[in-house]
Amino acid sequence: KDEFGKALTDNFLPTDNVVLEQNALVVNTGDRVALFDTGMGTSKMLGPDTGRLIANLKAAGIAAGDIDAVVLTHAHPDHCFGLMTDAGARLFPNAQIYMAQADLEFWTDEGKLSNDMLKGFVAGARQQLLPNRDRMVFVKDGEEFLPGVQAMSAPGHTVGHTVYIVTSQGK
């Protein structure tokens, strides 16, 4: 807490009202429409202002059904809890989901539900990821799995954390 407070103060930011924002990237390859991460969904775990992804996509002229690839960097709540509705329906019904197998296995491990620190993350990941298991494609380090999108393994933040290199016409 002290380190975080110092970082805020050092950057002239308030320490009593911290707002966490997250942006989602959409890439249209011409053949595929890919959404990178899905945010918190309706979970208020990280604050009251989450859950605006679908409305913001719509405002950008993108329907949830237009997304045919959801690319997950990792399986933390603020990256994958927007895959399913509260009623258990798929928010992106036409999408394949791309992620690292190590993250799926770690964050959906039923044995971790007894760990008080991980329980909320694991329970939520199980609700979001397991119903979508049939449409998951596991990315491998260095693999170009969509046109112009290459996976690069970056474990540390999570066991299967992956970053993506996006190129167009060789740039």
Side-chain angles (χ1 to χ4, degrees):
K1 181 178 179 181
D2 292 338
E3 285 181 43
F4 190 67
K6 182 177 179 340
L8 291 170
T9 302
D10 289 351
N11 288 283
F12 309 101
L13 297 169
T15 58
D16 59 342
N17 183 18
V18 178
V19 177
L20 300 174
E21 297 285 349
Q22 182 177 9
N23 293 307
L25 173 68
V26 176
V27 173
N28 185 337
T29 69
D31 295 324
R32 307 287 302 271
V33 178
L35 169 67
F36 290 76
D37 291 331
T38 64
M40 291 291 299
T42 59
S43 172
K44 301 302 178 193
M45 182 187 292
L46 297 180
D49 296 322
T50 60
R52 296 182 281 186
L53 177 64
I54 299 299
N56 287 337
L57 286 171
K58 186 176 179 180
I62 303 167
D66 295 340
I67 303 293
D68 54 18
V70 171
V71 182
L72 298 177
T73 57
H74 61 292
H76 276 165
D78 54 329
H79 294 265
C80 77
F81 276 24
L83 285 169
M84 304 291 288
T85 68
D86 290 340
R90 293 174 172 172
L91 279 168
F92 305 99
N94 301 317
Q96 283 190 298
I97 299 169
Y98 298 87
M99 68 180 300
Q101 186 172 357
D103 246 34
L104 176 72
E105 291 174 358
F106 182 90
W107 291 107
T108 60
D109 179 356
E110 190 173 6
K112 290 181 176 60
L113 289 170
S114 61
N115 181 317
D116 287 338
M117 285 185 61
L118 296 177
K119 185 181 349 186
F121 280 31
V122 171
R126 290 174 61 82
Q127 287 176 324
Q128 298 294 319
L129 297 172
L130 293 180
N132 290 296
R133 181 61 189 93
D134 63 320
R135 57 194 190 132
M136 283 187 186
V137 176
F138 296 124
V139 298
K140 307 259 188 277
D141 185 39
E143 173 187 17
E144 183 175 296
F145 59 94
L146 292 173
V149 182
Q150 180 183 6
M152 185 167 60
S153 182
H157 184 59
T158 65
V159 297
H161 189 255
T162 305
V163 296
Y164 299 96
I165 301 166
V166 178
T167 61
S168 177
Q169 299 176 359
K171 297 179 183 178

